[in-house]
Amino acid sequence: MTKTKKSMLITVIVLLVVFLIIGIILGCLLPSGYSPGNMCIYYEELSTVMNDNIVYISNEFCQENQLSIVGIQRGMYMGEPYDEIIGEVEISYNRKSMKNSADYYTLAQNLESISYSFSSKEDSDLIPVDIRVFVFTKKNKDVNYEYEDGGYQYTKEDLSVNEKRYEIKTTPKKRAICRLYWSISISKDVADNYTEEEKNARIEQIFKSALDNIVYYDEL
């Protein structure tokens, strides 16, 4: 074997050893970081799981706005949900930080986000809407809460004449933050049936109703 071939072989071996070491290091470090987990529950169970770590939306909100909470189906096919309903609320959490503990207290402490949706009932005589709600328990220093109403600070973003987004800052308990991120949109299949003024009024009315129907754990 020539010196050139020996040098090439040594180089290849060194590179393989380096990649192997990097792989081992990453394999040791990654498990101690973030490992996503999620679970689906029904909205009526949410207070049992989260207790006073978050705030809630009362049943009166759905009644006032002729809404129902949307069920989460087990599977997806061609971008559309199908199969049986497995819950109404999706909870995302850091599985690694739970350290093999499955109790609700640990889950609540390692919460990443909560999400659920509302939609207009089929027999509603109000402008049909679709609402997506995300709940976060970590502060976001980049958010500037420009508005205030009903004792709550919030932001507002007009995405289009058919959709607006809001983020509401709440304090479910001492030194705790719960951010409610709302996306409220006019249902696509009827959006062209209403004027811009009618759609704006409907979205604003829903948001005001949401503020009025925020409840805390000890009020449930």
Side-chain angles (χ1 to χ4, degrees):
M1 183 180 292
T2 64
K3 290 184 178 180
T4 302
K5 289 183 177 180
K6 285 182 179 180
S7 298
M8 290 178 63
L9 180 60
I10 292 172
T11 301
V12 171
I13 293 173
V14 170
L15 288 174
L16 288 174
V17 171
V18 170
F19 286 132
L20 179 61
I21 293 172
I22 292 174
I24 292 172
I25 292 173
L26 289 176
C28 292
L29 291 178
L30 289 179
S32 63
Y34 178 71
S35 175
N38 63 77
M39 64 184 292
C40 291
I41 62 173
Y42 288 91
Y43 190 82
E44 62 185 17
E45 303 171 314
L46 188 56
S47 61
T48 303
V49 176
M50 288 291 116
N51 291 332
D52 59 354
N53 291 282
I54 64 171
V55 297
Y56 305 88
I57 305 302
S58 71
N59 291 331
E60 285 73 20
F61 173 73
C62 286
Q63 296 170 7
E64 290 174 6
N65 298 284
Q66 299 176 12
L67 302 169
S68 57
I69 193 160
V70 179
I72 299 172
Q73 293 176 270
R74 182 181 297 279
M76 292 286 293
Y77 179 73
M78 301 291 288
E80 295 294 329
Y82 80 104
D83 210 347
E84 63 178 320
I85 301 293
I86 57 174
E88 297 164 336
V89 179
E90 183 173 2
I91 300 174
S92 299
Y93 57 92
N94 188 347
R95 191 196 308 271
K96 206 66 189 176
S97 295
M98 292 184 66
K99 299 178 181 178
N100 300 320
S101 175
D103 65 273
Y104 286 161
Y105 175 80
T106 309
L107 174 64
Q109 301 309 308
N110 291 282
L111 173 69
E112 292 294 325
S113 67
I114 294 172
S115 62
Y116 50 89
S117 301
F118 300 103
S119 66
S120 292
K121 294 181 178 180
E122 290 186 4
D123 60 352
S124 172
D125 56 7
L126 301 174
I127 298 177
V129 293
D130 297 297
I131 304 169
R132 183 74 164 163
V133 182
F134 291 90
V135 181
F136 303 97
T137 57
K138 295 180 180 177
K139 292 182 180 180
N140 187 344
K141 295 180 180 179
D142 296 328
V143 176
N144 178 24
Y145 297 99
E146 303 176 74
Y147 308 98
E148 185 171 348
D149 190 1
Y152 297 105
Q153 294 179 305
Y154 67 93
T155 65
K156 180 171 69 172
E157 181 181 8
D158 296 332
L159 296 184
S160 69
V161 296
N162 296 322
E163 182 179 7
K164 300 184 189 299
R165 292 180 181 174
Y166 303 84
E167 182 173 312
I168 309 167
K169 179 183 177 183
T170 69
T171 52
K173 58 184 177 181
K174 190 175 182 179
R175 294 202 227 20
I177 294 293
C178 176
R179 297 184 289 119
L180 299 176
Y181 183 85
W182 288 68
S183 171
I184 307 173
S185 59
I186 305 299
S187 298
K188 292 180 180 179
D189 55 343
V190 299
D192 293 337
N193 299 340
Y194 303 95
T195 65
E196 181 175 344
E197 290 75 16
E198 289 174 325
K199 290 185 282 192
N200 281 333
R202 173 65 168 144
I203 292 175
E204 286 291 331
Q205 175 265 317
I206 289 175
F207 176 67
K208 297 288 187 181
S209 177
L211 289 179
D212 291 339
N213 285 287
I214 292 174
V215 293
Y216 295 80
Y217 181 67
D218 57 4
E219 298 173 334
L220 295 173

